[in-house]
Amino acid sequence: MTFNSLEFLFFFILVSTAYFILPYKHRWFLLLAASCYFYMAFVPIYILILAFTIIIDYFAGRAIENVQGKKRKLYLIISLVANIGVLAVFKYYNFLNENLTALLGPLHIRNPAPVLKILLPIGLSFHTFQAMSYTIEVYRGHQKAERHFGIYALYVMFYPQLVAGPIERPGNLLHQFRQCHEFDSSRVASGLSLMLWGFFKKIVIADRLALYVNLVYNDPGQHTGSTFILATIFFAFQIYCDFSAYSDIAIGAAQVMGFKLMTNFRRPYFSSSISEFWTRWHISLSTWFKDYLYVPLGGNRVSIPRWYFNLMIVFLISGLWHGANWTFIIWGALNGFYLVFAAMTSKLRSRISRVTGVQKFPRFHRFVQIVVTFILCCFAWIFFRANSISDSFHIIEKIFTAKGSLYIDSDPSPVIYSLLGIGILLFVEAKWEYYKGSFSFCHNSHWLVKNLSYAFLIIMMLLIGVFDGGQFIYFQF
Amino acid sequence: MEVSLSISNSESMGMSLKISKRKQYLSFLLKAIRLIAVVFLCDLLIGGIIKHFYFHQKYGRQYRAYYTIEKTNADILIFGSSRAFNHYRPDIFESRLKKTCYNSGSPGQFILYDYATLKAVLKRYTPKLIILDLMPGSLFVEQFDGNSYERLSFLFPYYKEHEEMRPILELKGQYEKFKLLSSVYPFNSSVIYTTAGCLELKRFKELNRTDKGYQATYAVWNKPSQIIHSDRTARLDSVKINIYNQFIDECRNSGTELLIACSPRLDTYKGDDESLILAKKIAREKNVKFLDFTNDTFFVRHPELFAYDPIHLNHEGAGIFCNRVVDSLCLSN
């Protein structure tokens, strides 16, 4: 059951209505049952994997709290090994196996490890990371171990954010399951409005752009450099709209029931540097890596070479988190390299902007920085989207060498719809970014303006939306 | 006394909480109804405007579907995909058979589209002859990468007025009938094409110029024939087989003569195409003439008769092919 399906709409209405009808003390059970049903709608048997990690982490959390000394660390290690072990088997085993076979091949040694024919459980990396943050926080003493097994299970399985985040922390989410959320019409309306915007981004923009992007990237031998440039720009917006749409729907759905999930995206393409981009893109994952990997490695409070090393390690692992493929690892490495390069050249860049006098025009300066950041992001997205490394390099080569006209079918309307969708997105996001206090459409005080704005979004979905677009990209992670 | 006072206080507090809760629900419900009303009116208004323009086009594939469904009275009707669109020349059929002809072939479409269109046509009149051009693989689940049913949305503008088409169009998905309650949704992704069709833009007119539904292509293919292996893993689609059977039955019941043809392609097929074998078998059982031009030695030896790929004939190739179809028709009559 994907968010962009009518099944989900019926499911959501049913669960939300039942949530407010039921007495407060039974609500956790309703949400847990609904979450189980939601997850089992994909591959039912995989709920056992979730059950396994939930049981291990629940008891590990309690054990960590109840013992002292070295044993605490032991229980933490057991929990982390269980979680990472599940990830390793289901997500990375075949990747490692393939690479081992490739390594042993030239030595004429046969790799004895069999290839596993398994489907990757949906959202595995998300709920595993969320579960790990719980035991780590209990170990650090920042979080009390949850005694109620059902509520702990709900923390891991809460259906709005179960399969594609935001990756919540126990400190933000766990206590909310014990609170009594009354029906608040303005909060419900605001949650529904956020969900509507999410549906718009997914159906009108992401899935529309996917048609062109897939056509070009799945057949790299056939297209020109200009076509690849357009497809890559389209992919940058596709992945943003696809993923942020999921987050918006998740945050909105939770908000309807009174839960406050963390913000996951803050208009990342308005970033003026790569480091700013990573404070606006997939915030729940970036902060996870910062809290549980970057800071423990020493962060930036170490020698400069070690700092660069820390940055590279974090982004390499972030790349690997996204998928068991070298394309993701290179994408992560490239982002790490951008940050290291930015740190190495910060003084030089300040001097250049001082000498050229560009600082006297701060708006123009920021605009240039935004454009450059976007280009760097797009360059990295090539690796993220391409089907293989050789495809990535082939595409990059073609961008610089293959001249020719832009691929537009005899019917240009799909490209026009795509540009229209991007135009609406940029208009709305620019308004939020720079003119927040000015005229508002969806939050206008006049009911007619507000309702017409919602009607516009709904009509646009019906008119130019792609209703057969399928799953969200980040489900596979 | 104090105890009873505090009880009555808490009771009244609980009561006022309940009232405020009820107010919240009521106000939310009223706002939701107001929004639904605004969306409904916008949908009706915008849907009505698009519908008006959609059915007032003079060119393009949307117009050709409209002409087939609502206007044509041709004696001979051609059904099929882009291969029908590019292969069947009405001028040849008209001059040799002395009957009027219209080519209703629709690029990118398949048997379900043909059947839905046929139902609408037969409701209005009975053509004398129907030619159905069938592609190899037409009865497979994997046709068009397994996305063939999505293409039915092209006929959604006819959903409300053509009851006979509804059961076929609803095959696109289990929730389509709910989505089609909207007046805008039937025109999903078609508004720019419709605008171009209404504005009669020069380039649009050039691209969509047809002769009684047939589009001539003058390109010349220059690569030799290749051997293609039939897809052994493809699965037969029971719905498509059923619809194919119904297509034949509808023609027979209405008294229309039916000819099924698999038009030429340059590449030769090695191995059996299960879909084509079954289509031939059903036609034979139902006593329907089936002309199979796949692996036809004449066309396989003449790549210059093909246009922009090895499965579409150019104008010259279409001429030769149509004459052979007419020869075969004359022979059987």
Side-chain angles (χ1 to χ4, degrees):
Chain A
M1 191 193 322
T2 54
F3 275 179
N4 53 332
S5 67
L6 277 179
E7 285 104 321
F8 174 74
L9 215 57
F10 296 140
F11 169 84
F12 168 73
I13 292 169
L14 205 73
V15 173
S16 306
T17 311
Y19 181 81
F20 288 113
I21 290 171
L22 272 180
Y24 149 70
K25 59 181 178 182
H26 299 308
R27 287 178 178 175
W28 71 268
F29 183 74
L30 168 82
L31 287 181
L32 185 60
S35 301
C36 289
Y37 176 80
F38 179 79
Y39 193 76
M40 287 169 78
F42 297 102
V43 184
I45 193 79
Y46 281 166
I47 196 142
L48 296 177
I49 301 165
L50 259 174
F52 168 74
T53 52
I54 287 169
I55 291 168
I56 297 268
D57 294 332
Y58 171 75
F59 286 108
R62 292 196 62 176
I64 290 168
E65 198 175 60
N66 291 336
V67 297
Q68 296 296 322
K70 281 184 179 175
K71 273 194 172 177
R72 297 181 80 238
K73 202 170 214 168
L74 177 72
Y75 287 121
L76 174 70
I77 290 168
I78 289 171
S79 159
L80 295 182
V81 166
N83 285 295
I84 295 167
V86 168
L87 266 179
V89 171
F90 285 92
K91 192 165 178 174
Y92 300 110
Y93 172 82
N94 281 340
F95 173 66
L96 294 172
N97 202 11
E98 278 168 26
N99 283 286
L100 188 66
T101 308
L103 272 175
L104 296 176
L107 304 171
H108 303 289
I109 302 170
R110 198 179 144 269
N111 178 11
V115 175
L116 289 183
K117 286 182 180 166
I118 43 171
L119 273 175
L120 178 66
I122 266 174
L124 182 68
S125 304
F126 287 93
H127 52 74
T128 308
F129 268 45
Q130 184 156 318
M132 283 201 285
S133 75
Y134 167 77
T135 39
I136 296 171
E137 289 297 322
V138 172
Y139 175 79
R140 287 178 175 177
H142 299 157
Q143 174 69 39
K144 280 194 165 183
E146 178 56 55
R147 307 211 164 261
H148 193 302
F149 180 75
I151 287 187
Y152 174 70
L154 185 56
Y155 160 74
V156 180
M157 293 192 68
F158 187 42
Y159 86 84
Q161 40 90 244
L162 171 61
V163 292
I167 303 165
E168 280 297 337
R169 308 298 162 75
N172 180 42
L173 186 61
L174 209 45
H175 68 94
Q176 293 191 51
F177 295 118
R178 294 191 181 282
Q179 288 168 352
C180 176
H181 303 124
E182 294 293 348
F183 182 88
D184 175 347
S185 63
S186 61
R187 189 198 66 223
V188 171
S190 156
L192 291 174
S193 147
L194 191 58
M195 286 176 82
L196 180 67
W197 179 236
F199 286 125
F200 178 87
K201 281 197 283 188
K202 170 68 177 164
I203 293 168
V204 176
I205 310 173
D207 286 347
R208 172 67 62 188
L209 294 171
L211 300 177
Y212 189 85
V213 173
N214 293 345
L215 194 83
V216 175
Y217 266 78
N218 290 343
D219 196 3
Q222 298 297 319
H223 298 285
T224 61
S226 55
T227 303
F228 280 117
I229 290 173
L230 183 68
T232 305
I233 293 170
F234 275 9
F235 180 68
F237 284 102
Q238 181 204 340
I239 187 122
Y240 168 55
C241 287
D242 192 281
F243 192 18
S244 68
Y246 187 95
S247 291
D248 286 348
I249 298 168
I251 295 166
Q255 194 177 328
V256 165
M257 295 182 287
F259 295 92
K260 193 163 169 27
L261 301 185
M262 69 185 293
T263 305
N264 216 14
F265 290 89
R266 276 191 303 110
R267 301 172 290 284
Y269 291 137
F270 286 99
S271 309
S272 57
S273 66
I274 293 292
S275 60
E276 189 188 343
F277 176 82
W278 281 104
T279 61
R280 289 166 172 254
W281 177 276
H282 202 177
I283 298 165
S284 65
L285 181 73
S286 312
T287 49
W288 196 101
F289 276 120
K290 186 182 135 209
D291 293 346
Y292 303 125
L293 187 64
Y294 180 68
V295 171
L297 282 172
N300 59 358
R301 294 179 178 181
V302 284
S303 65
I304 287 177
R306 174 65 200 229
W307 175 36
Y308 296 162
F309 173 79
N310 290 349
L311 283 171
M312 286 306 293
I313 282 289
V314 166
F315 278 91
L316 276 170
I317 294 175
S318 168
L320 195 62
W321 178 90
H322 282 82
N325 196 322
W326 284 105
T327 51
F328 294 119
I329 297 171
I330 293 186
W331 170 77
L334 203 52
N335 275 287
F337 170 75
Y338 287 159
L339 289 176
V340 170
F341 185 78
M344 287 167 84
T345 58
S346 66
K347 280 181 187 167
L348 178 72
R349 283 182 294 120
S350 309
R351 199 185 302 163
I352 290 171
S353 47
R354 226 182 8 254
V355 170
T356 54
V358 76
Q359 280 178 333
K360 289 174 193 160
F361 311 98
R363 282 189 178 179
F364 174 72
H365 188 203
R366 186 167 170 82
F367 174 74
V368 172
Q369 286 175 320
I370 288 172
V371 172
V372 171
T373 306
F374 182 71
I375 292 169
L376 291 173
C377 286
C378 283
F379 185 74
W381 287 132
I382 294 174
F383 290 94
F384 195 94
R385 174 58 188 84
N387 296 331
S388 63
I389 296 197
S390 57
D391 272 10
S392 315
F393 287 114
H394 179 69
I395 289 164
I396 292 165
E397 188 192 333
K398 276 200 147 186
I399 284 176
F400 292 105
T401 57
K403 287 176 185 168
S405 58
L406 197 64
Y407 171 75
I408 294 175
D409 202 9
S410 57
D411 176 10
S413 36
V415 173
I416 299 173
Y417 295 134
S418 303
L419 294 173
L420 183 66
I422 292 175
I424 294 172
L425 175 85
L426 288 178
F427 172 78
V428 171
E429 297 225 322
K431 202 201 139 303
W432 284 344
E433 183 74 19
Y434 301 114
Y435 310 100
K436 206 166 184 180
S438 66
F439 185 79
S440 168
F441 291 95
C442 286
H443 298 106
N444 197 287
S445 54
H446 195 287
W447 71 270
L448 189 60
V449 178
K450 190 157 70 176
N451 285 0
L452 283 174
S453 308
Y454 289 136
F456 170 77
L457 292 180
I458 295 168
I459 297 293
M460 286 299 281
M461 278 194 264
L462 292 167
L463 198 58
I464 64 170
V466 176
F467 286 86
D468 313 298
Q471 286 190 354
F472 288 79
I473 297 173
Y474 265 69
F475 272 29
Q476 61 185 298
F477 306 139
Chain B
M1 185 71 177
E2 275 179 12
V3 173
S4 67
L5 198 68
S6 69
I7 287 172
S8 71
N9 269 346
S10 69
E11 267 178 1
S12 68
M13 260 177 76
M15 197 71 141
S16 66
L17 256 172
K18 265 188 182 174
I19 291 168
S20 92
K21 219 171 161 184
R22 199 173 296 162
K23 264 188 178 173
Q24 288 254 16
Y25 283 128
L26 207 67
S27 115
F28 179 77
L29 206 67
L30 285 174
K31 281 177 187 169
I33 291 169
R34 201 164 59 183
L35 173 64
I36 291 167
V38 172
V39 172
F40 175 76
L41 287 174
C42 290
D43 178 76
L44 212 63
L45 181 73
I46 295 167
I49 294 169
I50 300 169
K51 187 180 171 184
H52 172 81
F53 287 109
Y54 186 93
F55 292 113
H56 280 81
Q57 296 175 78
K58 291 280 179 284
Y59 297 91
R61 58 173 192 263
Q62 291 172 352
Y63 168 73
R64 291 175 60 253
Y66 165 71
Y67 186 80
T68 305
I69 292 166
E70 308 283 9
K71 292 273 181 210
T72 184
N73 283 309
D75 298 326
I76 305 169
L77 270 187
I78 319 285
F79 286 95
S81 63
S82 58
R83 277 156 47 88
F85 180 52
N86 292 141
H87 293 185
Y88 293 83
R89 289 173 52 178
D91 59 326
I92 294 176
F93 286 93
E94 288 188 343
S95 66
R96 289 194 57 193
L97 296 174
K98 307 292 178 227
K99 284 174 184 162
T100 54
C101 177
Y102 187 75
N103 185 330
S104 306
S106 185
Q109 287 299 347
F110 68 122
I111 187 72
L112 267 68
Y113 171 93
D114 298 328
Y115 182 58
T117 315
L118 174 79
K119 294 269 281 183
V121 168
L122 290 181
K123 198 182 161 200
R124 202 163 46 75
Y125 86 105
T126 310
K128 289 184 179 132
L129 170 67
I130 282 176
I131 301 175
L132 171 66
D133 188 87
L134 209 63
M135 268 182 85
S138 289
L139 304 180
F140 283 144
V141 174
E142 288 78 5
Q143 187 191 19
F144 303 130
D145 299 326
N147 297 323
S148 49
Y149 288 82
E150 287 163 18
R151 298 173 183 225
L152 279 172
S153 56
F154 187 70
L155 290 175
F156 279 174
Y158 301 92
Y159 182 85
K160 280 187 180 145
E161 268 94 38
H162 286 267
E163 210 176 317
E164 72 283 357
M165 294 168 95
R166 283 182 203 165
I168 309 146
L169 301 185
E170 284 167 8
L171 288 170
K172 182 174 178 266
Q174 57 176 328
Y175 296 112
E176 289 307 311
K177 65 178 96 169
F178 300 112
K179 291 184 200 163
L180 284 160
L181 290 172
S182 155
S183 300
V184 167
Y185 180 68
F187 303 97
N188 176 274
S189 303
S190 68
V191 72
I192 289 176
Y193 193 91
T194 306
T195 311
C198 288
L199 293 175
E200 297 185 22
L201 302 173
K202 197 180 164 194
R203 171 139 174 81
F204 184 82
K205 272 164 95 172
E206 275 169 18
L207 279 172
N208 291 289
R209 185 165 291 138
T210 63
D211 174 19
K212 293 180 179 166
Y214 158 77
Q215 189 170 64
T217 40
Y218 296 97
V220 176
W221 185 249
N222 53 12
K223 290 179 191 161
S225 170
Q226 288 182 333
I227 294 170
I228 290 178
H229 292 270
S230 296
D231 188 356
R232 291 272 177 189
T233 57
R235 295 156 299 155
L236 287 164
D237 185 328
S238 60
V239 176
K240 288 178 188 166
I241 295 167
N242 189 25
I243 293 289
Y244 175 68
N245 271 298
Q246 287 184 40
F247 191 101
I248 297 174
D249 294 342
E250 288 275 349
C251 288
R252 197 162 48 188
N253 295 342
S254 66
T256 303
E257 188 188 347
L258 174 65
L259 167 74
I260 303 171
C262 189
S263 51
R265 51 189 300 157
L266 181 62
D267 299 333
T268 51
Y269 260 93
K270 192 148 188 158
D272 302 325
D273 182 289
E274 291 283 332
S275 162
L276 205 56
I277 290 170
L278 184 68
K280 278 189 210 173
K281 187 177 163 237
I282 293 170
R284 199 169 47 243
E285 282 169 5
K286 292 184 185 272
N287 213 14
V288 173
K289 193 169 174 62
F290 196 110
L291 297 177
D292 183 7
F293 284 86
T294 47
N295 296 348
D296 183 281
T297 46
F298 175 78
F299 287 101
V300 165
R301 278 195 224 115
H302 291 91
E304 74 280 4
L305 296 178
F306 289 82
Y308 45 86
D309 63 20
I311 60 166
H312 291 92
L313 293 167
N314 57 27
H315 188 59
E316 192 190 346
I320 297 168
F321 167 65
C322 287
N323 276 309
R324 288 197 37 194
V325 172
V326 176
D327 290 345
S328 175
L329 274 169
C330 293
L331 206 68
S332 62
N333 290 335

